[in-house]
Amino acid sequence: MTKKHAMVFSNLTLTALFVFFSFQLSAQKQNSAFEPNNDFWQNVQFGGGLGLSLGSGFTDISVAPSAIYNVNQYFAVGLGVQYTYIKVRNSYNSNLYGGSLITLFNPIPEIQLLAELEQLRVNVNGVGTNNYSNNFWNTGLFLGAGYRNGNVTIGARYNVLHDDNKSAYSDAFMPFVRFYF
């Protein structure tokens, strides 16, 4: 019996050592992918836009974070998400949420050209005597330009797919301010 116990013990010990060294090798390999000098993360910038509009019976709150990857000094691509809440007293309230694909081109450091494909889910609910509900998807293709100074870009964009009858926005033309850090 002692021979049997010794054999089981040695097999368990060898198995435990094998598993231990396998995890050690795996952990060392995984750590090398997260080195701080990785070029990818040095080219990523985070930012986006915030919006707040308040008036007599009107509220509009918008949050639109985004991230871009600078391919080179002229060209960047990225992704964004957006949430907007709008309420007009005694009329309606709405929630808009979705995402976007962003491309930026800087022919010179001060000028930024942009193209942005945006997909939003729009939920509108009438209140009071305007009791209704309207839910739809809205696709926008924005083309625009802006003046860039450091991390801030101020400009305007135009939605070439704007439809006056069914759109998340009342106008195809929109000014914007974006920050990237």
Side-chain angles (χ1 to χ4, degrees):
M1 290 267 192
T2 57
K3 257 185 176 183
K4 202 177 207 185
H5 287 270
M7 189 173 204
V8 169
F9 179 76
S10 66
N11 284 340
L12 285 174
T13 304
L14 286 173
T15 303
L17 286 171
F18 177 75
V19 169
F20 175 76
F21 283 113
S22 295
F23 282 129
Q24 286 292 338
L25 292 173
S26 175
Q28 288 176 2
K29 184 175 182 186
Q30 289 174 355
N31 285 341
S32 66
F34 294 101
E35 293 176 3
N37 62 358
N38 189 336
D39 288 338
F40 176 82
W41 290 108
Q42 290 178 357
N43 293 326
V44 173
Q45 290 182 286
F46 297 97
L50 296 172
L52 176 63
S53 179
L54 301 171
S56 178
F58 179 80
T59 304
D60 183 344
I61 303 168
S62 181
V63 178
S66 60
I68 59 170
Y69 175 77
N70 294 298
V71 176
N72 55 39
Q73 66 182 4
Y74 303 106
F75 185 68
V77 294
L79 299 171
V81 294
Q82 176 181 341
Y83 174 76
T84 301
Y85 171 76
I86 301 172
K87 181 177 182 180
V88 178
R89 187 182 324 137
N90 299 326
S91 183
Y92 73 93
N93 62 50
S94 67
N95 291 285
L96 295 82
Y97 52 91
S100 61
L101 300 172
I102 304 164
T103 58
L104 304 173
F105 178 67
N106 302 300
I108 61 173
E110 295 81 15
I111 301 296
Q112 186 173 84
L113 305 175
L114 69 97
E116 183 174 355
L117 180 64
E118 178 183 79
Q119 183 71 46
L120 292 179
R121 180 67 178 169
V122 180
N123 300 317
V124 181
N125 295 306
V127 294
T129 58
N130 299 321
N131 194 10
Y132 67 92
S133 179
N134 190 8
N135 301 308
F136 60 94
W137 286 100
N138 184 80
T139 303
L141 177 59
F142 295 93
L143 302 176
Y147 172 74
R148 189 173 79 156
N149 188 2
N151 297 333
V152 181
T153 304
I154 299 171
R157 61 187 194 159
Y158 184 81
N159 184 357
V160 297
L161 300 178
H162 181 75
D163 180 359
D164 285 333
N165 297 322
K166 195 170 194 177
S167 181
Y169 304 109
S170 60
D171 195 357
F173 179 78
M174 275 186 224
F176 70 86
V177 177
R178 282 194 181 158
F179 298 87
Y180 283 109
F181 300 98

